[in-house]
Amino acid sequence: MDRHIPFAGLHNFRDLGGYTTTDGRRVSPGRLYRSDSLGKLAPGTPDWDRFLSLGIGTVIDLRHPWEIDARGRIPEHPSVTYHNLSIEHRPYDQAALGPDIDPGPYLAERFMEVAEDGTKEIRRALELVADAARSATPLVFHCASGKDRTGELAALILTLVGVDEATVIEDFSLTELAASALLAEWTARNDGRTPDWPGFGRAPEAVMRLFLTALKARYGSVEGYVEQALSMNARDLAATLRAHLLEAPPAAWPPLTLRPATDADAPALVRLRDTAALWQLARGIDQWKPGEKDEAHFRTRVREGEVWLAHAGDRLTGAYELWWTDPAAWGPRPPDAGYIHRLMTVPHTTPPGTGRALLDHAESRIRAMGRPYGRLDCLSANPRLRAYYESAGYTVVGEQPAKRDGTGSPYAVTLMEKRLGRPGAAPTSPVGLG
């Protein structure tokens, strides 16, 4: 599930459904959305038809009234109730900030300012979310880019329903996937100029991490903030949101099917990898960075090796690359192995066991080539990933202290290997071939 719902004119419209809570339930899909400015919608367009098809009954616009005057609001429609709640009381121009300003601490400080200045509006927004939840009416909240004011409200809601902090941070950082489009939109509005601030439109995980740390330092918890600053009953509010916005995870999932990737799949593979990178960074795993692998990389891998995509029903759920040589990590070797790279799954909405099914499928491809070993490497500083592969039967056989892959400085990786079964043996997981 790609959280960004595609629109021609909206770049950061996302479903908050599918996130798992600490008690094992999940946020119901199709109930709560966040977005960039809905003032870009216009009646009679495919975007407007798509928006109406979502059944959204409540819109919360977090922008200043002067922003609405300049850029417009969502068109009036009998099915939509509109509320303007400007939670930011002291406006500022991000595009004009100096290049030396670090987005993390700067924006986190602004978030705290909004949290304490905008208490009346934030309280009302949470009341509207609770009302929509009780009536099972889908709701969307938005600001200009769907990043800061929208991200702050999303963090409060997700925390109150029981989503863990790492996922709250990850949700904020997903604006990174829309950053280039938001920047292009600003440039088009401003005679081709580029913002002075390199952080414009960006959403590094440090922003939300620092904000939540500061909020907890001052109020003890998000619930403490709701009680002390908003004068709301946090327990009752959380209970209402959880009762009406959460559901049990699916009891059954569509079967996985795999097919070889083509050049046309390169954009989806880039997006999948960048999404996985943001998941890692939100959890303190410093291995992948968004933007490191472009479409040309995946087209090269399709041409020189194998790339496979996994789907559950019609949804992309994962992918992996299979190489037949890997001298950067393993040096010159006889043709006795397949090298598994970039095994990726879609966070939060992938069927359980998808990663292992992809690994099994890769091993079956290696066996089919008559090669007795599956090999892979993982960042030496990532013990969690190493433990995952060890549980799948891989053993550590060495270290490469200075692997280079053309994207930056050399880095250390742990080399892992597994002796596979006889050639032609079937994969151990029920995976179909598309």
Side-chain angles (χ1 to χ4, degrees), residues 90-111:
R90 184 171 68 91
Y92 64 110
D93 185 358
Q94 285 195 17
L97 295 175
D100 58 334
I101 294 178
D102 185 341
Y106 178 80
L107 289 177
E109 185 175 325
R110 295 309 307 261
F111 282 24

Side-chain angles (χ1 to χ4, degrees), residues 112-406:
M112 278 300 297
E113 181 180 295
V114 169
E116 298 190 320
D117 287 351
T119 52
K120 176 182 176 181
E121 293 83 1
I122 294 172
R123 175 189 174 109
R124 181 59 181 148
L126 291 174
E127 289 172 345
L128 289 170
V129 171
D131 289 345
R134 290 189 195 94
S135 65
T137 302
L139 175 147
V140 62
F141 52 96
H142 75 90
C143 54
S145 64
K147 179 171 75 77
D148 298 328
R149 290 165 286 186
T150 297
E152 189 163 339
L153 183 57
L156 298 177
I157 296 167
L158 290 174
T159 301
L160 287 168
V161 300
V163 172
D164 67 276
E165 183 170 305
T167 302
V168 172
I169 293 169
E170 175 193 352
D171 178 73
F172 171 77
S173 72
L174 286 176
T175 290
E176 288 283 309
L177 300 178
S180 61
L182 294 170
L183 176 60
E185 185 177 79
W186 188 94
T187 298
R189 281 201 315 265
N190 289 273
D191 302 320
R193 293 189 294 115
T194 300
D196 295 335
W197 191 39
F200 179 83
R202 303 298 303 276
E205 54 84 23
V207 176
M208 185 56 66
R209 191 185 304 280
L210 290 170
F211 165 63
L212 292 175
T213 298
L215 196 74
K216 289 185 290 183
R218 189 162 302 179
Y219 296 101
S221 63
V222 168
E223 292 78 8
Y225 165 74
V226 170
E227 292 272 357
Q228 299 168 47
L230 305 185
S231 300
M232 301 179 76
N233 187 314
R235 179 175 296 181
D236 288 352
L237 175 61
T240 296
L241 296 176
R242 293 175 185 179
H244 298 286
L245 289 176
L246 301 185
E247 64 182 20
W253 297 82
L256 286 180
T257 59
L258 274 88
R259 66 168 176 83
T262 67
D263 282 359
D265 296 310
L269 287 161
V270 170
R271 193 170 184 87
L272 176 57
R273 187 191 181 279
D274 286 350
T275 302
L278 293 169
W279 183 95
Q280 292 177 4
L281 290 170
R283 287 154 182 81
I285 302 170
D286 189 11
Q287 179 157 341
W288 291 357
K289 302 289 193 305
E292 286 178 327
K293 301 298 180 187
D294 59 12
E295 293 180 19
H297 164 85
F298 288 103
R299 293 190 180 104
T300 298
R301 298 321 316 166
V302 166
R303 184 172 64 252
E304 296 183 359
E306 296 185 7
V307 182
W308 289 80
L309 298 177
H311 289 79
D314 60 352
R315 292 189 180 275
L316 177 65
T317 58
Y320 74 87
E321 298 174 16
L322 188 57
W323 300 10
W324 300 117
T325 62
D326 187 6
W330 292 83
R333 293 271 179 159
D336 61 350
Y339 300 86
I340 302 165
H341 285 272
R342 266 165 288 286
L343 192 150
M344 309 176 284
T345 60
V346 177
H348 308 294
T349 55
T350 291
T354 296
R356 185 61 63 84
L358 289 169
L359 196 57
D360 289 347
H361 185 267
E363 292 168 1
S364 75
R365 295 293 304 157
I366 297 169
R367 286 194 296 266
M369 291 293 290
R371 301 192 177 198
Y373 293 101
R375 293 184 181 134
L376 51 85
D377 65 76
C378 61
L379 200 68
S380 296
N382 190 347
R384 178 175 178 175
L385 186 59
R386 169 176 164 171
Y388 175 82
Y389 286 124
E390 286 177 331
S391 71
Y394 287 79
T395 59
V396 175
V397 295
E399 297 283 332
Q400 167 56 273
K403 179 182 176 181
R404 292 181 179 272
D405 64 2

Side-chain angles (χ1 to χ4, degrees), residues 52-70:
L52 293 178
S53 74
L54 299 175
I56 292 170
T58 303
V59 173
I60 302 175
D61 187 340
L62 302 174
R63 295 175 298 162
H64 295 278
W66 58 264
E67 291 178 277
I68 298 168
D69 290 342

